[in-house]
Amino acid sequence: VLFRSGPAPEARRTRGVSAGVRSREPHLPIHQRPSKQSTRSTTVEPNTGVIVMAEVTAAAVKGLRDQTGLPMMDCKRALTEAGGDQEAAVEQLRKAGAKTMEKRAGRATSAGRIAVYTDMDACVGSIVDLRCESAPVAAHEEFIQLANDLARQLATGPGAATAEELLAQNSPSKPDQTPEQQFDYLNNRIREVFKVARIERIDSRSEGRRSGN
């Protein structure tokens, strides 16, 4: 009788499968291997089904952080899930922020800023009451800019009967954006509830005519 030590047939088969998996892993040249400053993400092309590997670098994460003002880990996660696509990552962060704000919609807006704009030559003026949740946010320079932009646009633009109409017009300080885009961008960064509580436009050329709510 001969005795021979070694793994059982099932164990050998299992080991063979594992070894086969490892042997199929690509051996990348050193210059193509991901560095410690990068993360690889995979996406699948919808039309071809081809798996595409995208490298998310620390520089890309920092760039998205600078653009959105959101935490680094949120930016890294968005870039990874978007396969390194910067625009798709921004849109993903925007949608995530919108979901967060839906949960906070019922919170009280007890702080804010009243912006006043007057144009003596044009004989027009306006008042905008922009609300938020806390005093620190009310003192934030971008929140102040948003309130001032709304007041200026209301006074010098075509006018608006509602906050929605005003938000859809062009921004005085950012011609390529609307106040609504400024509103959403800042809202997504700060994650507080914002509300345009009141708008009023005064035109002395029309015998003190007022508009707004």
Side-chain angles (χ1 to χ4, degrees), residues 39-46 50-57 60-61 64 74-93:
T39 301
R40 283 192 178 274
S41 65
T42 60
T43 57
V44 179
E45 290 287 348
V50 175
I51 297 177
V52 180
M53 296 186 71
E55 187 171 329
V56 178
T57 64
V61 175
L64 186 59
D74 288 0
C75 294
K76 182 177 180 180
R77 186 183 306 111
L79 276 170
T80 300
E81 293 177 359
D85 187 320
Q86 193 91 356
E87 292 185 6
V90 170
E91 180 63 16
Q92 190 159 322
L93 288 170

PDB file of all heavy atoms in Angstrom, residues 39-46 50-57 60-61 64 74-93:
ATOM      1  N   THR A  39      -6.922  56.657  -7.923  1.00  0.00           N
ATOM      2  CA  THR A  39      -7.833  55.543  -7.716  1.00  0.00           C
ATOM      3  C   THR A  39      -8.387  55.134  -9.070  1.00  0.00           C
ATOM      4  O   THR A  39      -8.712  55.996  -9.883  1.00  0.00           O
ATOM      5  CB  THR A  39      -9.005  55.970  -6.794  1.00  0.00           C
ATOM      6  OG1 THR A  39      -8.468  56.413  -5.560  1.00  0.00           O
ATOM      7  CG2 THR A  39      -9.938  54.794  -6.554  1.00  0.00           C
ATOM      8  N   ARG A  40      -8.493  53.834  -9.317  1.00  0.00           N
ATOM      9  CA  ARG A  40      -9.053  53.376 -10.593  1.00  0.00           C
ATOM     10  C   ARG A  40     -10.529  53.043 -10.410  1.00  0.00           C
ATOM     11  O   ARG A  40     -10.914  52.402  -9.444  1.00  0.00           O
ATOM     12  CB  ARG A  40      -8.293  52.151 -11.121  1.00  0.00           C
ATOM     13  CG  ARG A  40      -6.951  52.518 -11.731  1.00  0.00           C
ATOM     14  CD  ARG A  40      -6.373  51.353 -12.488  1.00  0.00           C
ATOM     15  NE  ARG A  40      -5.109  51.695 -13.116  1.00  0.00           N
ATOM     16  CZ  ARG A  40      -4.994  52.261 -14.287  1.00  0.00           C
ATOM     17  NH1 ARG A  40      -6.069  52.565 -14.966  1.00  0.00           N
ATOM     18  NH2 ARG A  40      -3.801  52.548 -14.799  1.00  0.00           N
ATOM     19  N   SER A  41     -11.332  53.484 -11.343  1.00  0.00           N
ATOM     20  CA  SER A  41     -12.749  53.146 -11.342  1.00  0.00           C
ATOM     21  C   SER A  41     -13.084  52.515 -12.684  1.00  0.00           C
ATOM     22  O   SER A  41     -12.405  52.746 -13.675  1.00  0.00           O
ATOM     23  CB  SER A  41     -13.599  54.406 -11.131  1.00  0.00           C
ATOM     24  OG  SER A  41     -13.446  55.287 -12.220  1.00  0.00           O
ATOM     25  N   THR A  42     -14.107  51.695 -12.711  1.00  0.00           N
ATOM     26  CA  THR A  42     -14.499  51.030 -13.942  1.00  0.00           C
ATOM     27  C   THR A  42     -15.915  51.411 -14.316  1.00  0.00           C
ATOM     28  O   THR A  42     -16.792  51.546 -13.462  1.00  0.00           O
ATOM     29  CB  THR A  42     -14.427  49.498 -13.796  1.00  0.00           C
ATOM     30  OG1 THR A  42     -15.309  49.086 -12.745  1.00  0.00           O
ATOM     31  CG2 THR A  42     -13.014  49.056 -13.479  1.00  0.00           C
ATOM     32  N   THR A  43     -16.122  51.615 -15.615  1.00  0.00           N
ATOM     33  CA  THR A  43     -17.460  51.876 -16.150  1.00  0.00           C
ATOM     34  C   THR A  43     -17.673  50.964 -17.348  1.00  0.00           C
ATOM     35  O   THR A  43     -16.727  50.497 -17.970  1.00  0.00           O
ATOM     36  CB  THR A  43     -17.613  53.346 -16.598  1.00  0.00           C
ATOM     37  OG1 THR A  43     -16.594  53.642 -17.560  1.00  0.00           O
ATOM     38  CG2 THR A  43     -17.483  54.295 -15.423  1.00  0.00           C
ATOM     39  N   VAL A  44     -18.925  50.709 -17.654  1.00  0.00           N
ATOM     40  CA  VAL A  44     -19.267  49.842 -18.781  1.00  0.00           C
ATOM     41  C   VAL A  44     -19.930  50.665 -19.865  1.00  0.00           C
ATOM     42  O   VAL A  44     -20.918  51.365 -19.617  1.00  0.00           O
ATOM     43  CB  VAL A  44     -20.212  48.705 -18.337  1.00  0.00           C
ATOM     44  CG1 VAL A  44     -20.567  47.824 -19.526  1.00  0.00           C
ATOM     45  CG2 VAL A  44     -19.573  47.880 -17.232  1.00  0.00           C
ATOM     46  N   GLU A  45     -19.355  50.630 -21.056  1.00  0.00           N
ATOM     47  CA  GLU A  45     -19.951  51.338 -22.184  1.00  0.00           C
ATOM     48  C   GLU A  45     -21.319  50.737 -22.492  1.00  0.00           C
ATOM     49  O   GLU A  45     -21.434  49.528 -22.702  1.00  0.00           O
ATOM     50  CB  GLU A  45     -19.056  51.215 -23.426  1.00  0.00           C
ATOM     51  CG  GLU A  45     -17.763  51.994 -23.335  1.00  0.00           C
ATOM     52  CD  GLU A  45     -17.988  53.483 -23.462  1.00  0.00           C
ATOM     53  OE1 GLU A  45     -19.120  53.864 -23.856  1.00  0.00           O
ATOM     54  OE2 GLU A  45     -17.078  54.254 -23.158  1.00  0.00           O
ATOM     55  N   PRO A  46     -22.396  51.564 -22.499  1.00  0.00           N
ATOM     56  CA  PRO A  46     -23.749  51.024 -22.686  1.00  0.00           C
ATOM     57  C   PRO A  46     -23.980  50.345 -24.036  1.00  0.00           C
ATOM     58  O   PRO A  46     -24.756  49.412 -24.134  1.00  0.00           O
ATOM     59  CB  PRO A  46     -24.639  52.265 -22.521  1.00  0.00           C
ATOM     60  CG  PRO A  46     -23.743  53.421 -22.811  1.00  0.00           C
ATOM     61  CD  PRO A  46     -22.382  53.018 -22.331  1.00  0.00           C
ATOM     62  N   VAL A  50     -18.201  47.173 -23.250  1.00  0.00           N
ATOM     63  CA  VAL A  50     -16.771  47.130 -22.947  1.00  0.00           C
ATOM     64  C   VAL A  50     -16.514  47.799 -21.606  1.00  0.00           C
ATOM     65  O   VAL A  50     -17.041  48.879 -21.322  1.00  0.00           O
ATOM     66  CB  VAL A  50     -15.958  47.846 -24.051  1.00  0.00           C
ATOM     67  CG1 VAL A  50     -14.478  47.905 -23.677  1.00  0.00           C
ATOM     68  CG2 VAL A  50     -16.146  47.128 -25.376  1.00  0.00           C
ATOM     69  N   ILE A  51     -15.690  47.155 -20.781  1.00  0.00           N
ATOM     70  CA  ILE A  51     -15.331  47.721 -19.488  1.00  0.00           C
ATOM     71  C   ILE A  51     -14.182  48.705 -19.683  1.00  0.00           C
ATOM     72  O   ILE A  51     -13.155  48.360 -20.252  1.00  0.00           O
ATOM     73  CB  ILE A  51     -14.916  46.618 -18.491  1.00  0.00           C
ATOM     74  CG1 ILE A  51     -16.104  45.681 -18.234  1.00  0.00           C
ATOM     75  CG2 ILE A  51     -14.418  47.224 -17.190  1.00  0.00           C
ATOM     76  CD1 ILE A  51     -15.779  44.524 -17.332  1.00  0.00           C
ATOM     77  N   VAL A  52     -14.394  49.946 -19.232  1.00  0.00           N
ATOM     78  CA  VAL A  52     -13.386  50.981 -19.374  1.00  0.00           C
ATOM     79  C   VAL A  52     -12.881  51.370 -17.991  1.00  0.00           C
ATOM     80  O   VAL A  52     -13.668  51.635 -17.092  1.00  0.00           O
ATOM     81  CB  VAL A  52     -13.974  52.238 -20.074  1.00  0.00           C
ATOM     82  CG1 VAL A  52     -12.911  53.318 -20.215  1.00  0.00           C
ATOM     83  CG2 VAL A  52     -14.536  51.856 -21.436  1.00  0.00           C
ATOM     84  N   MET A  53     -11.560  51.382 -17.851  1.00  0.00           N
ATOM     85  CA  MET A  53     -10.965  51.756 -16.574  1.00  0.00           C
ATOM     86  C   MET A  53     -10.553  53.221 -16.633  1.00  0.00           C
ATOM     87  O   MET A  53      -9.888  53.650 -17.566  1.00  0.00           O
ATOM     88  CB  MET A  53      -9.757  50.887 -16.261  1.00  0.00           C
ATOM     89  CG  MET A  53     -10.087  49.423 -16.077  1.00  0.00           C
ATOM     90  SD  MET A  53      -8.659  48.456 -15.528  1.00  0.00           S
ATOM     91  CE  MET A  53      -8.481  49.057 -13.850  1.00  0.00           C
ATOM     92  N   ALA A  54     -10.986  54.001 -15.645  1.00  0.00           N
ATOM     93  CA  ALA A  54     -10.639  55.423 -15.575  1.00  0.00           C
ATOM     94  C   ALA A  54      -9.856  55.675 -14.303  1.00  0.00           C
ATOM     95  O   ALA A  54     -10.163  55.109 -13.258  1.00  0.00           O
ATOM     96  CB  ALA A  54     -11.905  56.279 -15.595  1.00  0.00           C
ATOM     97  N   GLU A  55      -8.846  56.510 -14.410  1.00  0.00           N
ATOM     98  CA  GLU A  55      -8.014  56.822 -13.255  1.00  0.00           C
ATOM     99  C   GLU A  55      -8.457  58.141 -12.637  1.00  0.00           C
ATOM    100  O   GLU A  55      -8.541  59.161 -13.318  1.00  0.00           O
ATOM    101  CB  GLU A  55      -6.550  56.907 -13.669  1.00  0.00           C
ATOM    102  CG  GLU A  55      -5.597  57.066 -12.494  1.00  0.00           C
ATOM    103  CD  GLU A  55      -4.142  56.939 -12.915  1.00  0.00           C
ATOM    104  OE1 GLU A  55      -3.873  56.190 -13.867  1.00  0.00           O
ATOM    105  OE2 GLU A  55      -3.294  57.590 -12.293  1.00  0.00           O
ATOM    106  N   VAL A  56      -8.794  58.104 -11.350  1.00  0.00           N
ATOM    107  CA  VAL A  56      -9.211  59.291 -10.624  1.00  0.00           C
ATOM    108  C   VAL A  56      -8.022  59.773  -9.818  1.00  0.00           C
ATOM    109  O   VAL A  56      -7.639  59.143  -8.833  1.00  0.00           O
ATOM    110  CB  VAL A  56     -10.414  58.995  -9.703  1.00  0.00           C
ATOM    111  CG1 VAL A  56     -10.794  60.244  -8.916  1.00  0.00           C
ATOM    112  CG2 VAL A  56     -11.607  58.510 -10.518  1.00  0.00           C
ATOM    113  N   THR A  57      -7.416  60.858 -10.237  1.00  0.00           N
ATOM    114  CA  THR A  57      -6.217  61.359  -9.579  1.00  0.00           C
ATOM    115  C   THR A  57      -6.572  62.315  -8.441  1.00  0.00           C
ATOM    116  O   THR A  57      -7.688  62.849  -8.377  1.00  0.00           O
ATOM    117  CB  THR A  57      -5.322  62.097 -10.578  1.00  0.00           C
ATOM    118  OG1 THR A  57      -6.029  63.261 -11.061  1.00  0.00           O
ATOM    119  CG2 THR A  57      -4.978  61.200 -11.768  1.00  0.00           C
ATOM    120  N   ALA A  60      -7.541  65.638  -9.821  1.00  0.00           N
ATOM    121  CA  ALA A  60      -8.920  65.713 -10.304  1.00  0.00           C
ATOM    122  C   ALA A  60      -9.889  65.910  -9.142  1.00  0.00           C
ATOM    123  O   ALA A  60     -10.848  66.683  -9.236  1.00  0.00           O
ATOM    124  CB  ALA A  60      -9.275  64.452 -11.079  1.00  0.00           C
ATOM    125  N   VAL A  61      -9.633  65.214  -8.045  1.00  0.00           N
ATOM    126  CA  VAL A  61     -10.484  65.353  -6.859  1.00  0.00           C
ATOM    127  C   VAL A  61     -10.387  66.766  -6.309  1.00  0.00           C
ATOM    128  O   VAL A  61     -11.397  67.391  -5.962  1.00  0.00           O
ATOM    129  CB  VAL A  61     -10.080  64.325  -5.781  1.00  0.00           C
ATOM    130  CG1 VAL A  61     -10.896  64.549  -4.504  1.00  0.00           C
ATOM    131  CG2 VAL A  61     -10.288  62.906  -6.287  1.00  0.00           C
ATOM    132  N   LEU A  64     -12.314  69.210  -8.502  1.00  0.00           N
ATOM    133  CA  LEU A  64     -13.761  69.144  -8.273  1.00  0.00           C
ATOM    134  C   LEU A  64     -14.113  69.783  -6.936  1.00  0.00           C
ATOM    135  O   LEU A  64     -15.140  70.447  -6.804  1.00  0.00           O
ATOM    136  CB  LEU A  64     -14.221  67.689  -8.311  1.00  0.00           C
ATOM    137  CG  LEU A  64     -15.732  67.456  -8.219  1.00  0.00           C
ATOM    138  CD1 LEU A  64     -16.464  68.154  -9.351  1.00  0.00           C
ATOM    139  CD2 LEU A  64     -16.044  65.963  -8.233  1.00  0.00           C
ATOM    140  N   ASP A  74     -16.620  63.311  -0.734  1.00  0.00           N
ATOM    141  CA  ASP A  74     -17.797  63.371  -1.610  1.00  0.00           C
ATOM    142  C   ASP A  74     -17.363  63.525  -3.070  1.00  0.00           C
ATOM    143  O   ASP A  74     -17.933  62.888  -3.965  1.00  0.00           O
ATOM    144  CB  ASP A  74     -18.698  64.543  -1.215  1.00  0.00           C
ATOM    145  CG  ASP A  74     -19.438  64.304   0.088  1.00  0.00           C
ATOM    146  OD1 ASP A  74     -19.249  63.221   0.688  1.00  0.00           O
ATOM    147  OD2 ASP A  74     -20.188  65.194   0.519  1.00  0.00           O
ATOM    148  N   CYS A  75     -16.353  64.371  -3.286  1.00  0.00           N
ATOM    149  CA  CYS A  75     -15.861  64.601  -4.653  1.00  0.00           C
ATOM    150  C   CYS A  75     -15.201  63.345  -5.208  1.00  0.00           C
ATOM    151  O   CYS A  75     -15.401  62.993  -6.378  1.00  0.00           O
ATOM    152  CB  CYS A  75     -14.877  65.763  -4.659  1.00  0.00           C
ATOM    153  SG  CYS A  75     -15.636  67.353  -4.245  1.00  0.00           S
ATOM    154  N   LYS A  76     -14.421  62.664  -4.385  1.00  0.00           N
ATOM    155  CA  LYS A  76     -13.745  61.450  -4.832  1.00  0.00           C
ATOM    156  C   LYS A  76     -14.768  60.369  -5.180  1.00  0.00           C
ATOM    157  O   LYS A  76     -14.652  59.696  -6.205  1.00  0.00           O
ATOM    158  CB  LYS A  76     -12.808  60.937  -3.742  1.00  0.00           C
ATOM    159  CG  LYS A  76     -12.031  59.693  -4.135  1.00  0.00           C
ATOM    160  CD  LYS A  76     -11.064  59.268  -3.045  1.00  0.00           C
ATOM    161  CE  LYS A  76     -10.292  58.026  -3.451  1.00  0.00           C
ATOM    162  NZ  LYS A  76      -9.340  57.604  -2.380  1.00  0.00           N
ATOM    163  N   ARG A  77     -15.787  60.229  -4.339  1.00  0.00           N
ATOM    164  CA  ARG A  77     -16.820  59.222  -4.586  1.00  0.00           C
ATOM    165  C   ARG A  77     -17.574  59.533  -5.885  1.00  0.00           C
ATOM    166  O   ARG A  77     -17.831  58.636  -6.695  1.00  0.00           O
ATOM    167  CB  ARG A  77     -17.796  59.175  -3.417  1.00  0.00           C
ATOM    168  CG  ARG A  77     -18.844  58.056  -3.515  1.00  0.00           C
ATOM    169  CD  ARG A  77     -19.825  58.092  -2.365  1.00  0.00           C
ATOM    170  NE  ARG A  77     -19.153  58.078  -1.085  1.00  0.00           N
ATOM    171  CZ  ARG A  77     -19.116  59.113  -0.240  1.00  0.00           C
ATOM    172  NH1 ARG A  77     -19.727  60.260  -0.565  1.00  0.00           N
ATOM    173  NH2 ARG A  77     -18.496  59.031   0.912  1.00  0.00           N
ATOM    174  N   ALA A  78     -17.902  60.806  -6.084  1.00  0.00           N
ATOM    175  CA  ALA A  78     -18.641  61.190  -7.294  1.00  0.00           C
ATOM    176  C   ALA A  78     -17.810  60.945  -8.552  1.00  0.00           C
ATOM    177  O   ALA A  78     -18.319  60.439  -9.552  1.00  0.00           O
ATOM    178  CB  ALA A  78     -19.048  62.663  -7.214  1.00  0.00           C
ATOM    179  N   LEU A  79     -16.522  61.282  -8.507  1.00  0.00           N
ATOM    180  CA  LEU A  79     -15.649  61.052  -9.656  1.00  0.00           C
ATOM    181  C   LEU A  79     -15.481  59.569  -9.944  1.00  0.00           C
ATOM    182  O   LEU A  79     -15.470  59.138 -11.098  1.00  0.00           O
ATOM    183  CB  LEU A  79     -14.280  61.687  -9.407  1.00  0.00           C
ATOM    184  CG  LEU A  79     -14.148  63.171  -9.726  1.00  0.00           C
ATOM    185  CD1 LEU A  79     -12.831  63.710  -9.203  1.00  0.00           C
ATOM    186  CD2 LEU A  79     -14.273  63.426 -11.220  1.00  0.00           C
ATOM    187  N   THR A  80     -15.352  58.777  -8.890  1.00  0.00           N
ATOM    188  CA  THR A  80     -15.199  57.328  -9.057  1.00  0.00           C
ATOM    189  C   THR A  80     -16.435  56.732  -9.709  1.00  0.00           C
ATOM    190  O   THR A  80     -16.349  55.950 -10.661  1.00  0.00           O
ATOM    191  CB  THR A  80     -14.939  56.651  -7.701  1.00  0.00           C
ATOM    192  OG1 THR A  80     -13.736  57.193  -7.130  1.00  0.00           O
ATOM    193  CG2 THR A  80     -14.759  55.144  -7.864  1.00  0.00           C
ATOM    194  N   GLU A  81     -17.620  57.123  -9.207  1.00  0.00           N
ATOM    195  CA  GLU A  81     -18.865  56.589  -9.751  1.00  0.00           C
ATOM    196  C   GLU A  81     -19.136  57.114 -11.160  1.00  0.00           C
ATOM    197  O   GLU A  81     -19.822  56.452 -11.950  1.00  0.00           O
ATOM    198  CB  GLU A  81     -20.024  56.948  -8.818  1.00  0.00           C
ATOM    199  CG  GLU A  81     -19.941  56.253  -7.456  1.00  0.00           C
ATOM    200  CD  GLU A  81     -21.049  56.675  -6.517  1.00  0.00           C
ATOM    201  OE1 GLU A  81     -21.879  57.522  -6.913  1.00  0.00           O
ATOM    202  OE2 GLU A  81     -21.093  56.161  -5.379  1.00  0.00           O
ATOM    203  N   ALA A  82     -18.576  58.292 -11.491  1.00  0.00           N
ATOM    204  CA  ALA A  82     -18.774  58.874 -12.826  1.00  0.00           C
ATOM    205  C   ALA A  82     -17.678  58.448 -13.788  1.00  0.00           C
ATOM    206  O   ALA A  82     -17.632  58.935 -14.925  1.00  0.00           O
ATOM    207  CB  ALA A  82     -18.816  60.390 -12.731  1.00  0.00           C
ATOM    208  N   GLY A  83     -16.793  57.545 -13.362  1.00  0.00           N
ATOM    209  CA  GLY A  83     -15.732  57.066 -14.239  1.00  0.00           C
ATOM    210  C   GLY A  83     -14.728  58.140 -14.604  1.00  0.00           C
ATOM    211  O   GLY A  83     -14.129  58.108 -15.674  1.00  0.00           O
ATOM    212  N   GLY A  84     -14.535  59.132 -13.711  1.00  0.00           N
ATOM    213  CA  GLY A  84     -13.569  60.188 -13.960  1.00  0.00           C
ATOM    214  C   GLY A  84     -14.112  61.363 -14.750  1.00  0.00           C
ATOM    215  O   GLY A  84     -13.391  62.325 -14.999  1.00  0.00           O
ATOM    216  N   ASP A  85     -15.380  61.313 -15.158  1.00  0.00           N
ATOM    217  CA  ASP A  85     -15.995  62.392 -15.942  1.00  0.00           C
ATOM    218  C   ASP A  85     -16.364  63.548 -15.007  1.00  0.00           C
ATOM    219  O   ASP A  85     -17.244  63.423 -14.153  1.00  0.00           O
ATOM    220  CB  ASP A  85     -17.249  61.866 -16.647  1.00  0.00           C
ATOM    221  CG  ASP A  85     -17.844  62.884 -17.615  1.00  0.00           C
ATOM    222  OD1 ASP A  85     -17.880  64.082 -17.285  1.00  0.00           O
ATOM    223  OD2 ASP A  85     -18.274  62.471 -18.710  1.00  0.00           O
ATOM    224  N   GLN A  86     -15.685  64.693 -15.166  1.00  0.00           N
ATOM    225  CA  GLN A  86     -15.865  65.833 -14.276  1.00  0.00           C
ATOM    226  C   GLN A  86     -17.291  66.378 -14.317  1.00  0.00           C
ATOM    227  O   GLN A  86     -17.898  66.632 -13.277  1.00  0.00           O
ATOM    228  CB  GLN A  86     -14.875  66.937 -14.669  1.00  0.00           C
ATOM    229  CG  GLN A  86     -14.729  68.049 -13.642  1.00  0.00           C
ATOM    230  CD  GLN A  86     -13.624  67.790 -12.656  1.00  0.00           C
ATOM    231  OE1 GLN A  86     -13.002  66.736 -12.700  1.00  0.00           O
ATOM    232  NE2 GLN A  86     -13.369  68.729 -11.776  1.00  0.00           N
ATOM    233  N   GLU A  87     -17.840  66.562 -15.510  1.00  0.00           N
ATOM    234  CA  GLU A  87     -19.195  67.121 -15.631  1.00  0.00           C
ATOM    235  C   GLU A  87     -20.236  66.174 -15.047  1.00  0.00           C
ATOM    236  O   GLU A  87     -21.177  66.616 -14.380  1.00  0.00           O
ATOM    237  CB  GLU A  87     -19.511  67.410 -17.100  1.00  0.00           C
ATOM    238  CG  GLU A  87     -18.689  68.540 -17.696  1.00  0.00           C
ATOM    239  CD  GLU A  87     -19.116  68.883 -19.110  1.00  0.00           C
ATOM    240  OE1 GLU A  87     -20.127  68.317 -19.574  1.00  0.00           O
ATOM    241  OE2 GLU A  87     -18.450  69.707 -19.752  1.00  0.00           O
ATOM    242  N   ALA A  88     -20.057  64.879 -15.294  1.00  0.00           N
ATOM    243  CA  ALA A  88     -20.997  63.897 -14.741  1.00  0.00           C
ATOM    244  C   ALA A  88     -20.900  63.879 -13.220  1.00  0.00           C
ATOM    245  O   ALA A  88     -21.918  63.712 -12.528  1.00  0.00           O
ATOM    246  CB  ALA A  88     -20.706  62.512 -15.304  1.00  0.00           C
ATOM    247  N   ALA A  89     -19.706  64.066 -12.691  1.00  0.00           N
ATOM    248  CA  ALA A  89     -19.518  64.087 -11.242  1.00  0.00           C
ATOM    249  C   ALA A  89     -20.209  65.301 -10.626  1.00  0.00           C
ATOM    250  O   ALA A  89     -20.836  65.194  -9.564  1.00  0.00           O
ATOM    251  CB  ALA A  89     -18.032  64.088 -10.903  1.00  0.00           C
ATOM    252  N   VAL A  90     -20.110  66.443 -11.297  1.00  0.00           N
ATOM    253  CA  VAL A  90     -20.785  67.658 -10.807  1.00  0.00           C
ATOM    254  C   VAL A  90     -22.294  67.443 -10.779  1.00  0.00           C
ATOM    255  O   VAL A  90     -22.972  67.801  -9.805  1.00  0.00           O
ATOM    256  CB  VAL A  90     -20.435  68.868 -11.697  1.00  0.00           C
ATOM    257  CG1 VAL A  90     -21.319  70.064 -11.347  1.00  0.00           C
ATOM    258  CG2 VAL A  90     -18.972  69.245 -11.535  1.00  0.00           C
ATOM    259  N   GLU A  91     -22.827  66.857 -11.832  1.00  0.00           N
ATOM    260  CA  GLU A  91     -24.262  66.599 -11.895  1.00  0.00           C
ATOM    261  C   GLU A  91     -24.685  65.605 -10.813  1.00  0.00           C
ATOM    262  O   GLU A  91     -25.746  65.754 -10.194  1.00  0.00           O
ATOM    263  CB  GLU A  91     -24.630  66.057 -13.282  1.00  0.00           C
ATOM    264  CG  GLU A  91     -26.103  65.750 -13.476  1.00  0.00           C
ATOM    265  CD  GLU A  91     -27.010  66.956 -13.356  1.00  0.00           C
ATOM    266  OE1 GLU A  91     -26.508  68.097 -13.410  1.00  0.00           O
ATOM    267  OE2 GLU A  91     -28.231  66.755 -13.193  1.00  0.00           O
ATOM    268  N   GLN A  92     -23.840  64.618 -10.562  1.00  0.00           N
ATOM    269  CA  GLN A  92     -24.140  63.629  -9.530  1.00  0.00           C
ATOM    270  C   GLN A  92     -24.159  64.273  -8.146  1.00  0.00           C
ATOM    271  O   GLN A  92     -25.036  63.986  -7.325  1.00  0.00           O
ATOM    272  CB  GLN A  92     -23.091  62.515  -9.568  1.00  0.00           C
ATOM    273  CG  GLN A  92     -23.437  61.316  -8.696  1.00  0.00           C
ATOM    274  CD  GLN A  92     -22.683  60.075  -9.129  1.00  0.00           C
ATOM    275  OE1 GLN A  92     -22.498  59.844 -10.319  1.00  0.00           O
ATOM    276  NE2 GLN A  92     -22.248  59.288  -8.183  1.00  0.00           N
ATOM    277  N   LEU A  93     -23.217  65.166  -7.907  1.00  0.00           N
ATOM    278  CA  LEU A  93     -23.178  65.885  -6.631  1.00  0.00           C
ATOM    279  C   LEU A  93     -24.403  66.785  -6.489  1.00  0.00           C
ATOM    280  O   LEU A  93     -24.959  66.925  -5.397  1.00  0.00           O
ATOM    281  CB  LEU A  93     -21.902  66.717  -6.538  1.00  0.00           C
ATOM    282  CG  LEU A  93     -20.604  65.939  -6.326  1.00  0.00           C
ATOM    283  CD1 LEU A  93     -19.398  66.851  -6.506  1.00  0.00           C
ATOM    284  CD2 LEU A  93     -20.573  65.294  -4.942  1.00  0.00           C
TER     285      LEU A  93
END
